[in-house]
Amino acid sequence: MIVGLEIDGAGADPAAWRGAEVDPRAILTGALAVRAAQRAEAAGVDLLTFADALEAPEDVPGRVSVRLDALGLAARVAPVTERIGLLPVITVTHTEPFHVQASVATLDHISGGRAGWVAEVSTSGAAAAVVGRREPVPAAETWREARYVVDVSRRLWDSWEDDAIIRDATTGRYVDRDKLHYVDFSSTTFSVKGPSIVPRPPQGHPVTAIRLNSLEAIEAARDAELVLLPYSDDLTTQLQALRDTNHRSTDASESTSSRWSASGGEGAGSRGSGRSGESGRASGGGDERAGNCGSGGGEGTGSRGSGRGGESGGGRRASGGEGERGGEGAGSWRRASGGESERGGEGERGGEGAGGWWRASGGEGE
C-alpha cells in the first residue's frame, strides 16, 4: 500500500488555521507545510501532494482561500525532507508545457529523485479570466490536451542523454551539446522544439499522477503511473470504468503495429509515439499492460494506474542501436507497488539512490 497526504494551507478543516498551535502567518512562509511534511515522513507516509488552484482568492469568513504556489512549496519542502515523494498539482490548461516539464525536472534534481506531479486541468471561467491566456474549454478537450502535455514532458526529459553533463574543469566544458536532442513535437494546441533547458531528471521520468475526479479524466489516467481516487460512495463504479478504459487501450495497442520514430534533428533520440485515434498511444516497448487499481480510501491516498512497458521508467529511445535505458533509478515505483519492470536491454541502470522514496515504502531494491 502507498500512503499519501495532501497539503493545503493549514489543513482540510476550514477552521484549522485558527487552531491554538497554528500561527496564521506560517501559511504564507511555508513553515506549516514543512512541519506537516516532516511529521508525515516520520510517520512513514510515502508521498505528499500539494494542492493548487488558479481562481482568485475569495473573502469567505472562516476559510483561508489563499495558498502558495504548489510547485514552489514543494521546492521549499524538498531540502528539509529525505525520503518522502513530492507531487505538486500543476494545472496544464493555463501553463506552458515546456515550463511544466522544466519545473518538474528541476524539483526532481533538488529533491534527489523524489519528484512527481499531479497533472490537472481547468474548465473554470474564473481561472481563465485570471490568467488571461485563453477562453475556458470543455473538460474533454482539456484532458485531451493534458495527455499531450504528459507526452511532450516525457520526450523533453529524454532530450538530454544521461551522460550529456561533462563537468570537465580542464577543458572548461560542462555540457556535451551533441547529446542534447530536438523533440519537434506538435499537437492541436501547442508545439515544442526542444531540447529541455534542464538536464535529464534523476528518475528519468518523474512520477505522473492523475486525480480521477471526472469521467473525462479516465482516458488520461492511462497515461499516469499513479491514479488518485477521491473518496466516493461510487468508488466501485470508478474503478470498473478505469479498468474498462485500460482494456480498450490494450486492444487498440495490440491491433496497431508498434514502431519507433525518430523525431528529427541530428540523431534525435526522443521517443516517438503514434496515437491510435483518440484512445492513446502505440507503445514502442511491447503491449500496454493495465495495472491493478486498488481503492485509495481517501483523497490523499493513491492507487496505481496503468503501467506501460518502458514508458514510465525513463522511456525507451529510438536512437539507432544501443541506448535503451530507464534512466537513473527510473521504474522503481512500479516494483514497489507490485508492477513489473520491463527495462531490458543494454545500458540499463538503477542509479545511486534514485527512486529510493518508493523502495523505502516496501518495494524491492535493485
Side-chain angles (χ1 to χ4, degrees):
M1 177 182 291
I2 298 174
V3 180
L5 176 72
E6 181 168 75
I7 290 183
D8 185 5
D13 191 317
W17 68 278
R18 297 193 290 176
E21 67 170 359
V22 177
D23 178 359
R25 294 170 296 184
I27 296 175
L28 298 182
T29 65
L32 280 181
V34 166
R35 183 177 70 181
Q38 290 175 331
R39 288 179 176 180
E41 186 170 66
V45 173
D46 298 299
L47 62 90
L48 300 173
T49 62
F50 296 80
D52 209 351
L54 296 178
E55 289 81 5
E58 297 179 347
D59 185 5
V60 179
R63 177 181 301 176
V64 178
S65 60
V66 175
R67 56 164 61 95
L68 298 176
D69 174 75
L71 206 148
L73 193 57
R76 169 72 177 87
V77 168
V80 294
T81 53
E82 298 178 352
R83 178 195 58 79
I84 201 164
L86 308 173
L87 283 75
V89 170
I90 302 179
T91 303
V92 301
T93 309
H94 299 292
T95 311
E96 192 67 34
F98 185 88
H99 297 311
V100 167
Q101 64 81 29
S103 297
V104 175
T106 298
L107 180 62
D108 203 46
H109 279 286
I110 66 175
S111 66
R114 292 183 288 128
W117 61 307
V118 182
E120 186 57 273
V121 302
S122 174
T123 59
S124 164
V130 167
V131 178
R133 183 170 175 260
R134 62 194 296 186
E135 294 297 319
V137 293
E141 186 175 332
T142 61
W143 279 113
R144 187 179 304 114
E145 180 182 58
R147 297 184 68 185
Y148 287 121
V149 175
V150 170
D151 191 358
V152 76
S153 294
R154 289 169 174 157
R155 291 170 184 252
L156 285 163
W157 293 331
D158 286 344
S159 67
W160 286 59
E161 296 187 23
D162 291 333
D163 55 353
I165 301 295
I166 301 173
R167 302 188 187 92
D168 189 340
T170 303
T171 63
R173 296 182 68 209
Y174 196 88
V175 175
D176 184 348
R177 183 61 182 82
D178 291 336
K179 296 186 176 182
L180 277 62
H181 306 287
Y182 300 119
V183 299
D184 289 321
F185 183 93
S186 293
S187 75
T188 55
T189 55
F190 67 87
S191 61
V192 177
K193 178 73 173 178
S196 176
I197 57 173
V198 179
R200 184 171 172 82
Q203 292 182 89
H205 288 182
V207 176
T208 298
I210 297 289
R211 192 184 303 277
L212 199 62
N213 51 14
S214 69
L215 290 175
E216 291 83 3
I218 292 177
E219 283 288 341
R222 64 179 290 270
D223 293 332
E225 288 92 30
L226 187 69
V227 177
L228 306 178
L229 300 174
Y231 177 77
S232 169
D233 293 335
D234 201 24
L235 192 59
T236 302
T237 303
Q238 290 185 41
L239 287 170
Q240 188 58 51
L242 185 60
R243 291 189 180 105
D244 290 345
T245 298
N246 282 325
H247 289 319
R248 289 197 303 272
S249 301
T250 301
D251 292 341
S253 176
E254 290 174 349
S255 64
T256 304
S257 60
S258 300
R259 64 180 180 273
W260 294 109
S261 60
S263 54
E266 315 160 356
S270 297
R271 181 175 54 81
S273 62
R275 288 193 178 271
S276 175
E278 287 291 335
S279 63
R281 293 175 289 210
S283 72
D287 295 337
E288 298 182 350
R289 292 174 169 81
N292 295 323
C293 301
S295 167
E299 177 122 1
T301 303
S303 59
R304 188 169 60 84
S306 63
R308 292 186 299 271
E311 185 164 334
S312 66
R316 295 177 61 185
R317 313 238 307 227
S319 52
E322 293 180 17
E324 174 179 333
R325 54 185 180 270
E328 299 177 17
S332 58
W333 71 272
R334 299 181 67 182
R335 290 188 296 280
S337 57
E340 67 180 75
S341 174
E342 300 182 50
R343 294 184 299 139
E346 295 181 51
E348 85 172 25
R349 57 175 181 248
E352 294 181 19
W357 63 282
W358 286 109
R359 287 197 295 275
S361 62
E364 301 174 14
E366 295 191 11

